[in-house]
Amino acid sequence: MPRNKMSRGGKHREDLQWRRIDLHVHTPASKDYQESDATYLDILRKADAEGLDILAFTDHNTVAGYAAMLQEVSDLERWETAGHLGAVGETRLSEYRRLRDKILVLPGFELTATLGFHVLAIFDQDNTIRALEHVLLQLRVPFEALDSGETEVGATCDVLTAYRVMAQAGALVIAAHANSSHGVALVGLGFGGQTKIAYTQDPNLHALEVTDLESRKRRKTTSFFNGAKPEYPRRMHCIQGSDAHRISGVPGNRRNLGVGERATEVLLPEISFKALKELFLSNEFSRTRPHRRTA
């Protein structure tokens, strides 16, 4: 009998499914969030409307948003057990359960490293809030700033140290909007050279988030990091994310997007952090592609 076609990683292609992900989403815990009345349930509802399978909360230098969502669910469950939930609470808890069954919500944060570079750290949902805050402290985010969600928190650590500390803590490490402002590809800056090579080729960095994944320009970011250039021999996984600071984006403004409005599709055997990280640690570059949103 003919053997099933397998990917290079040894998995049968028919066992894999395309899954939609947005690994760069802010919540009201970020100081620069644009909608003061938005709720965590609103974020999950928008993710569901966009067909997301995996979502990551990545507030600035904090995990307070993810912690607040967990606390709200915990409070609702406690009131349910005590028989004091009420109709409104029952509806909210039912929605949380429905949406969290459909969407894998991962904890993470967007670190502001020294010189203002932004790095995403995405973690397995089994991590405790205290463990994640310990990582932030290792990255030299001040204790008093752990819940503030500020984009600037003083002198943290350099980019390469950030990659190492995040990776050692088990994170999926992604350079945020690498080709844009605060990006490690140093686009538009008057220096580069060895610094740019180090910041984009470090073994503890798992992927580059870029804003031009679907660009038809010859010199787009993916063509620069495709492994063909001698000074950049390591081919990098390139993905896109919404960097959402609001529920729904501003119409006609591609720089101010909502949840899931610039997503990536990944070919996975299951919806899990483990499967996601294994993909980005592999050399199977055909298993990622930009999601083409029609609305």
Side-chain angles (χ1 to χ4, degrees):
M1 295 180 64
R3 299 180 66 182
N4 294 327
K5 186 176 180 180
M6 302 182 73
S7 67
R8 290 184 181 178
K11 294 182 175 64
H12 296 295
R13 281 286 179 176
E14 53 267 42
D15 295 335
L16 304 174
Q17 293 185 47
W18 286 104
R19 304 295 187 177
R20 198 172 302 171
I21 66 173
D22 189 349
L23 302 182
H24 193 170
V25 173
H26 292 268
T27 81
S30 284
K31 199 70 174 287
D32 58 352
Y33 201 74
Q34 298 172 14
E35 296 175 321
S36 59
D37 60 342
T39 68
Y40 297 97
L41 198 52
D42 290 334
I43 294 173
L44 298 192
R45 284 170 174 154
K46 181 59 160 53
D48 184 35
E50 294 291 340
L52 294 182
D53 296 292
I54 302 177
L55 173 73
F57 283 7
T58 52
D59 288 306
H60 294 293
N61 305 295
T62 185
V63 290
Y66 188 80
M69 181 194 70
L70 293 184
Q71 186 62 56
E72 182 181 0
V73 173
S74 177
D75 289 343
L76 289 168
E77 290 175 338
R78 187 173 67 254
W79 295 334
E80 179 187 48
T81 301
H84 302 307
L85 190 55
V88 174
E90 185 177 340
T91 299
R92 291 188 69 80
L93 182 55
S94 177
E95 271 288 87
Y96 265 123
R97 285 170 171 164
R98 180 183 71 86
L99 292 168
R100 293 178 74 200
D101 280 344
K102 291 183 67 177
I103 304 165
L104 175 61
V105 185
L106 297 174
F109 52 79
E110 182 175 14
L111 176 76
T112 306
T114 53
L115 302 181
F117 295 108
H118 288 189
V119 185
L120 300 173
I122 316 295
F123 295 86
D124 192 300
Q125 72 273 25
D126 291 337
N127 283 274
T128 65
I129 297 301
R130 180 167 297 194
L132 300 180
E133 289 181 337
H134 179 69
V135 178
L136 283 164
L137 291 172
Q138 284 184 292
L139 295 166
R140 299 182 186 173
V141 174
F143 178 81
E144 60 273 16
L146 284 181
D147 292 332
S148 66
E150 296 279 3
T151 58
E152 301 296 334
V153 287
T156 55
C157 63
D158 65 90
V159 170
L160 298 182
T161 298
Y163 293 164
R164 176 179 54 79
V165 171
M166 291 171 175
Q168 287 177 348
L172 174 60
V173 184
I174 303 172
H177 34 73
N179 62 313
S180 187
S181 58
H182 303 287
V184 299
L186 309 178
V187 175
L189 298 180
F191 65 96
Q194 294 300 315
T195 301
K196 182 175 180 178
I197 294 172
Y199 282 6
T200 58
Q201 298 281 282
D202 190 84
N204 290 311
L205 177 64
H206 304 133
L208 302 174
E209 179 198 52
V210 301
T211 60
D212 62 349
L213 197 58
E214 293 194 88
S215 173
R216 297 183 179 180
K217 294 181 179 179
R218 184 173 61 86
R219 292 181 60 82
K220 66 180 182 177
T221 309
T222 51
S223 64
F224 200 82
F225 295 103
N226 62 5
K229 297 183 180 298
E231 65 271 39
Y232 298 95
R234 181 188 171 204
R235 184 175 178 180
M236 297 299 300
H237 287 281
C238 291
I239 64 170
Q240 60 184 15
S242 66
D243 193 7
H245 284 72
R246 53 189 298 120
I247 303 299
S248 295
V250 177
N253 186 343
R254 293 296 297 166
R255 294 189 177 185
N256 201 350
L257 300 172
V259 178
E261 293 179 10
R262 185 164 60 204
T264 301
E265 292 181 354
V266 289
L267 198 58
L268 298 177
E270 63 181 13
I271 299 175
S272 70
F273 175 80
K274 179 182 177 182
L276 186 67
K277 188 175 178 182
E278 283 180 352
L279 170 58
F280 287 112
L281 289 175
S282 78
N283 291 322
E284 295 192 71
F285 299 98
S286 64
R287 287 173 54 195
T288 61
R289 68 187 185 190
H291 168 63
R292 291 179 171 85
R293 189 170 181 264
T294 56

